[in-house]
Amino acid sequence: MEYQPLTSSNINDSIILKEVMDTHGLVSKDFKASYILHFVKKILFLIMMGGKAIYEDEDEDEFDDNEPDNSTMSNEMELKDREHSYQIKRLSFEIALRCSKNADDPHSTVMHFVKMLCAYPWEGKLLMMLAAFSINFGESRLRALKGSKTPLLAMAPSHIQQSISLFIKSVLRLTDIIVELAQSSSYNSSPVIPLASYWIFTSILTCASYFNCLPSIIGSEWLTDEVSKLSSLTATVKDIFSYCRPMLEMKREEDSYNALWCAFSDENPAPSTNLDVLKLIFNVKDVDKEKPLFDPDGRTVGLRSLENKKLALLITSHLDIDYSMVFASSSISKMIAHLWIPIVDDPTLWNTAAVENNYRSLASTIKLHTLKNVQKSIASGFARFVKKKFFPTFQIGGTAIIVLLDHQGRMVYYIATHMTIKRIIDFLSKGGVGEFMKRDSKVPFFKNMMKEMTLPVRHLVSDIDEKISDFANKMDSKLEEWCRGIRNDVQNSIEHIGFKAVMKEDPWKEKTWCTKLLIGGGYNFNEQAKEWVNGNEHIFFIGGKDIKWVKTFASNVLTEIHFNPQLTIKMTYVGSNNKVASTIRQDRICATFDQIEQGFSFWMNLQSIFLSRIKFLDETYGDEESDEILKGLKFLLAYEIAVDGWALLCKGNKIVVYDLGDKMLAVMNEFAKWKESAIVKGFDQAFKDHHHEMFGSTCTPQHYPCALEYPSNSDKVPENIKCPQCCHNMEKFVTFKCYHKYVCKEFKELANMREG
């Protein structure tokens, strides 16, 4: 009778599950699972396929992640446990014996081997069978081919090679998944594991039976018929694989999430290097081989390039970029390396090369590191970790956050980018560390000092000038060495200066609603305006979107100055409308920002002050309704974009009065009525008094529309806000913005300005 290889049975899965579970005894065995599985793959495919790669399709990278590290494999090159070695050899003999006979009841044959391995864990059962099969298969090949180097499968027709090869790959992929799930405490009790184990056993025995007789039936029509039955078993294995795949993805995400929580926990000891943390974030196994990043110059680099360096992770919930992100990054990019990580929920956003190119282009514009492949490079649990760890500071749809890591990968601080602006501007307006870095030679100083000291004895030392010169040069050299050490100390602790100290120590208790607060301490503002404030001049800060109103208001003020030489009134446009600002510069109507970048910084700083002030009042139980700083900021932020014009009058550092443009213009139009008062009281007080006479201090029932914007990740978003004009509660809306096509062009222009 012709030989019949073992094939699968038609028993119901529920019956199979019960029988397999009944055989599963007390588990007491320990296995080096990753190495054994890798070992089996190497042997099996070297023999069967002549050394070809195990996985040759698109899923190769996704489900071959558990290969052992080559650096540790040398310690595991032998199965040292004699019991395991004996059991594997015994299984090999049993496979050869059972597969050389006709199998009337394939199910019983499978259950025979399941029972033999009852004391092993599920991954142990599978790996023991695979190891035994690889030995059995190798010996069969040697006997059949008598030393030939031709792969065993290569002797069969091509279509049969393809079917058997696909079958083997499917079985090994399923084994990969089941071994990983079985080793997880969260999934090792799933009923799919024993059921999949049964079908993997069936597949192993089926393969063994086919290869046992393969040389003698190469040309047989019967083999072709039986291969179609093998295809049916392949379909079963693939169905189980498809069922297990989502479980594996969930398991890996959970592992990644837990590992990140552990790595960023304050209770755990600090890692020896930041590479331990970066490997978890970016799903990197080998830091020397894998290169998942682009540096700011577009070169492919690995995590090793960031080893033991302080790092700022710039995390966004979208692919857009706003100026607060540019400003915060550029202000400290020379101090700390930056890496932009977008957490994008919709993977379809990355389906076009244009999107990825735009992401890298924006990052290179502001000198950031980027990910080579955002979808694959970020660990599966990182997005969930960020949403949980940094909520509510980070929210999908909210503004970006900066997470600062020290050289060991420990988290120093995290903060929303819109909240960094006030602190950074305060820091930079005080000179930052830049002034300390500048140092002139002190040789002339030392020479003069020593000449004065030696003046009484100069006639007694012939080479006194030479000695003084040598001494002065040595002292200057020592001073430079000392300064260099201080610079290094400053550089090494810059994250505390630029982040922790500056951002935690918010000196609101010293702040009042004043001109210097408005212009951000003078940083990034035109020099004229700073001189006016320091000189206690009368200053009109104006804004709005209508160039006609700007021209009319400026003309009226200049006219009064012309006919009243005793008046000295300065004016500067600080509005956010670039077209209006450009016309003002071109026609020389009044002063304005020298660069577009300064206008961005001005309004960004006001928004940051506004949110920071709200947080401060909330923490100190202050009253928002009566706070002068919030009142002024609400007015400016609510009306700048909406109205034709607005004006704010200052006297040096004192803010006198502010209102909508038509009201302020009306006061100036009646200057003749109050100019005598201006001579007596001063222009500022007289203007304020007449403004009060015309419009009073009560709320205006009718006014232009206005709106206040709060980022979704603000520390506090109030339930109700009173309108700065009519004092009624404003309506509350949720706004979604998308502007990345616009900002791409704008920020590239700003970057060119910086470089220029």
Side-chain angles (χ1 to χ4, degrees):
M1 183 170 64
E2 191 170 21
Y3 177 81
Q4 296 183 5
L6 181 71
T7 56
S8 59
S9 62
N10 295 317
I11 300 176
N12 185 276
D13 281 350
S14 60
I15 297 175
I16 292 174
L17 179 61
K18 184 179 184 306
E19 290 190 20
V20 173
M21 288 299 296
D22 287 344
T23 67
H24 192 55
L26 182 65
V27 173
S28 60
K29 306 297 178 182
D30 183 28
F31 278 89
K32 299 171 181 177
S34 60
Y35 171 68
I36 296 176
L37 185 56
H38 181 72
F39 170 80
V40 168
K41 290 176 185 177
K42 287 286 188 182
I43 293 179
L44 183 60
F45 276 82
L46 181 65
I47 297 172
M48 187 180 72
M49 301 295 294
K52 285 188 180 180
I54 295 174
Y55 299 141
E56 296 177 342
D57 57 21
E58 66 277 4
D59 293 330
E60 177 178 351
D61 293 334
E62 186 175 357
F63 289 100
D64 201 27
D65 289 339
N66 293 324
E67 272 194 20
D69 194 321
N70 289 333
S71 63
T72 62
M73 281 183 62
S74 59
N75 298 325
E76 303 179 359
M77 291 305 293
E78 297 180 2
L79 296 173
K80 298 181 180 179
D81 192 312
R82 292 185 179 181
E83 180 185 348
H84 293 169
S85 301
Y86 169 78
Q87 188 71 347
I88 289 173
K89 194 63 178 177
R90 181 187 170 197
L91 286 170
S92 175
F93 287 135
E94 283 287 326
I95 290 173
L97 179 64
R98 295 276 176 167
C99 293
S100 63
K101 300 178 180 179
N102 291 334
D104 296 330
D105 186 3
H107 174 70
S108 297
T109 304
V110 173
M111 291 306 300
H112 169 76
F113 286 94
V114 172
K115 291 175 183 177
M116 285 182 66
L117 297 168
C118 63
Y120 289 85
W122 294 112
E123 67 273 21
K125 299 179 196 292
L126 298 177
L127 297 176
M128 293 286 281
M129 279 295 287
L130 278 172
F133 169 66
S134 64
I135 293 174
N136 174 273
F137 181 56
E139 291 175 348
S140 297
R141 178 197 182 271
L142 291 175
R143 289 194 301 270
L145 301 180
K146 299 178 181 178
S148 172
K149 294 184 179 180
T150 304
L152 186 55
L153 188 58
M155 300 175 63
S158 60
H159 69 284
I160 294 178
Q161 288 184 40
Q162 186 176 4
S163 296
I164 296 177
S165 177
L166 179 61
F167 177 68
I168 292 290
K169 291 176 183 179
S170 300
V171 170
L172 287 175
R173 280 208 184 88
L174 180 58
T175 303
D176 272 333
I177 290 183
I178 298 302
V179 167
E180 190 168 343
L181 291 177
Q183 293 177 315
S184 169
S185 59
S186 301
Y187 295 91
N188 59 8
S189 59
S190 172
V192 73
I193 292 178
L195 189 61
S197 298
Y198 173 87
W199 287 107
I200 291 172
F201 271 49
T202 301
S203 302
I204 289 171
L205 295 170
T206 301
C207 285
S209 64
Y210 274 116
F211 286 120
N212 192 55
C213 62
L214 189 59
S216 61
I217 58 173
I218 288 298
S220 171
E221 293 183 4
W222 171 87
L223 178 59
T224 303
D225 295 336
E226 289 302 311
V227 166
S228 64
K229 297 179 183 179
L230 200 65
S231 298
S232 176
L233 186 57
T234 303
T236 300
V237 170
K238 283 189 172 183
D239 287 343
I240 300 173
F241 177 88
S242 299
Y243 179 83
C244 293
R245 185 169 179 170
M247 294 175 61
L248 181 66
E249 291 173 351
M250 291 174 62
K251 180 260 180 188
R252 288 182 175 176
E253 180 182 338
E254 188 70 23
D255 290 347
S256 171
Y257 176 76
N258 291 333
L260 286 165
W261 267 109
C262 182
F264 283 98
S265 173
D266 294 334
E267 298 176 359
N268 290 330
S272 58
T273 170
N274 63 349
L275 291 181
D276 296 337
V277 174
L278 295 179
K279 285 168 66 177
L280 291 175
I281 295 175
F282 303 115
N283 200 29
V284 168
K285 303 293 182 182
D286 190 332
V287 294
D288 294 314
K289 291 184 177 180
E290 300 177 55
K291 295 184 176 181
L293 307 177
F294 287 112
D295 70 7
D297 296 322
R299 296 170 298 196
T300 303
V301 296
L303 298 183
R304 188 72 74 182
S305 64
L306 301 175
E307 185 175 12
N308 294 328
K309 292 182 179 179
K310 303 175 185 69
L311 181 65
L313 305 180
L314 198 57
I315 303 177
T316 65
S317 64
H318 41 63
L319 301 176
D320 296 337
I321 189 172
D322 61 29
Y323 190 70
S324 65
M325 182 172 161
V326 176
F327 184 86
S329 299
S330 60
S331 298
I332 53 177
S333 60
K334 295 179 180 179
M335 309 171 189
I336 305 170
H338 275 59
L339 175 58
W340 180 10
I341 307 177
I343 305 295
V344 182
D345 283 352
D346 186 0
T348 60
L349 291 175
W350 292 94
N351 285 345
T352 62
V355 171
E356 290 199 33
N357 291 337
N358 189 56
Y359 160 65
R360 295 192 191 114
S361 176
L362 285 172
S364 64
T365 299
I366 51 178
K367 303 304 180 185
L368 302 177
H369 286 73
T370 56
L371 301 174
K372 189 162 62 174
N373 188 317
V374 173
Q375 289 178 281
K376 290 186 177 181
S377 295
I378 300 177
S380 55
F382 184 69
R384 178 184 166 197
F385 169 78
V386 168
K387 295 173 189 176
K388 180 77 172 178
K389 176 74 174 179
F390 304 124
F391 182 86
T393 307
F394 178 87
Q395 299 178 46
I396 295 297
T399 56
I401 66 170
I402 293 178
V403 180
L404 183 70
L405 306 180
D406 69 8
H407 65 282
Q408 290 182 298
R410 294 174 299 187
M411 185 174 66
V412 177
Y413 204 73
Y414 70 91
I415 192 170
T417 52
H418 68 261
M419 292 298 292
T420 67
I421 308 307
K422 176 184 177 299
R423 279 78 163 189
I424 291 175
I425 287 180
D426 285 346
F427 178 59
L428 295 176
S429 66
K430 296 172 185 176
V433 295
E435 291 302 317
F436 176 78
M437 298 302 180
K438 300 176 183 178
R439 190 187 77 83
D440 297 327
S441 172
K442 299 300 180 184
V443 171
F445 168 78
F446 286 123
K447 283 185 176 180
N448 291 334
M449 180 180 66
M450 296 307 296
K451 283 181 180 179
E452 290 182 11
M453 292 177 61
T454 59
L455 189 59
V457 295
R458 287 183 63 82
H459 63 286
L460 300 176
V461 183
S462 60
D463 59 346
I464 187 67
D465 289 333
E466 183 179 346
K467 291 182 182 295
I468 288 176
S469 180
D470 290 343
F471 175 81
N473 288 327
K474 289 179 181 179
M475 291 300 296
D476 188 69
S477 177
K478 287 183 177 293
L479 180 60
E480 175 59 31
E481 183 180 351
W482 182 85
C483 288
R484 191 182 303 116
I486 296 299
R487 292 190 197 104
N488 291 336
D489 291 341
V490 170
Q491 190 71 19
N492 290 336
S493 62
I494 197 66
E495 73 276 8
H496 297 289
I497 298 173
F499 279 85
K500 218 169 184 179
V502 173
M503 296 181 187
K504 279 192 172 182
E505 296 174 9
D506 198 1
W508 270 119
K509 59 185 179 182
E510 302 173 4
K511 296 292 184 180
T512 57
W513 180 229
C514 61
T515 314
K516 288 184 178 179
L517 176 67
L518 183 69
I519 65 175
Y523 174 76
N524 223 6
F525 209 83
N526 67 76
E527 293 296 326
Q528 272 188 324
K530 289 188 286 184
E531 292 175 2
W532 297 340
V533 173
N534 294 331
N536 202 33
E537 301 277 4
H538 292 101
I539 313 166
F540 273 114
F541 290 91
I542 62 174
K545 61 181 180 179
D546 186 4
I547 186 61
K548 291 182 180 179
W549 177 88
V550 171
K551 288 182 176 180
T552 302
F553 187 80
S555 175
N556 282 21
V557 172
L558 292 174
T559 298
E560 299 304 334
I561 294 175
H562 178 73
F563 289 106
N564 297 274
Q566 71 275 17
L567 287 177
T568 55
I569 302 174
K570 308 299 183 181
M571 185 182 300
T572 182
Y573 177 83
V574 294
S576 59
N577 191 295
N578 292 333
K579 290 184 178 179
V580 173
S582 177
T583 302
I584 290 172
R585 279 192 294 269
Q586 182 177 347
D587 296 346
R588 298 182 179 180
I589 297 171
C590 64
T592 187
F593 297 114
D594 297 328
Q595 298 177 354
I596 296 175
E597 183 180 20
Q598 292 174 322
F600 274 117
S601 299
F602 176 80
W603 288 101
M604 186 174 56
N605 183 46
L606 291 188
Q607 175 77 1
S608 182
I609 295 172
F610 174 64
L611 297 172
S612 178
R613 185 66 176 178
I614 291 174
K615 181 180 179 182
F616 170 78
L617 292 175
D618 184 53
E619 292 174 348
T620 56
Y621 305 100
D623 182 14
E624 292 186 19
E625 297 298 328
S626 61
D627 187 76
E628 289 298 322
I629 293 178
L630 274 190
K631 282 183 181 180
L633 291 172
K634 284 179 181 178
F635 171 83
L636 295 177
L637 294 171
Y639 279 106
E640 163 55 22
I641 299 176
V643 300
D644 292 339
W646 59 265
L648 181 147
L649 175 61
C650 303
K651 178 69 163 64
N653 195 37
K654 178 185 177 182
I655 294 177
V656 179
V657 64
Y658 52 88
D659 209 331
L660 298 178
D662 55 353
K663 294 181 182 180
M664 300 292 275
L665 181 59
V667 176
M668 281 304 305
N669 287 338
E670 295 189 359
F671 178 72
K673 296 180 180 180
W674 53 274
K675 69 177 182 179
E676 296 298 329
S677 178
I679 296 173
V680 177
K681 298 179 181 179
F683 178 85
D684 53 317
Q685 188 60 47
F687 187 103
K688 182 178 181 180
D689 291 346
H690 196 72
H691 176 273
H692 181 76
E693 289 176 11
M694 293 183 68
F695 305 106
S697 58
T698 58
C699 298
T700 305
Q702 294 182 345
H703 58 85
Y704 289 98
C706 62
L708 275 172
E709 293 184 355
Y710 286 79
S712 61
N713 57 346
S714 297
D715 292 286
K716 181 186 177 184
V717 178
E719 289 297 322
N720 295 299
I721 289 288
K722 290 190 181 297
C723 173
Q725 281 289 306
C726 68
C727 302
H728 287 89
N729 285 338
M730 301 175 73
E731 291 184 79
K732 189 174 182 179
F733 291 88
V734 176
T735 303
F736 296 89
K737 295 194 299 184
C738 179
Y739 48 87
H740 64 273
K741 287 187 178 179
Y742 165 75
V743 295
C744 289
K745 179 181 178 182
E746 289 288 332
F747 293 150
K748 286 178 182 177
E749 291 177 357
L750 291 177
N752 292 334
M753 290 181 183
R754 280 179 177 273
E755 292 176 0

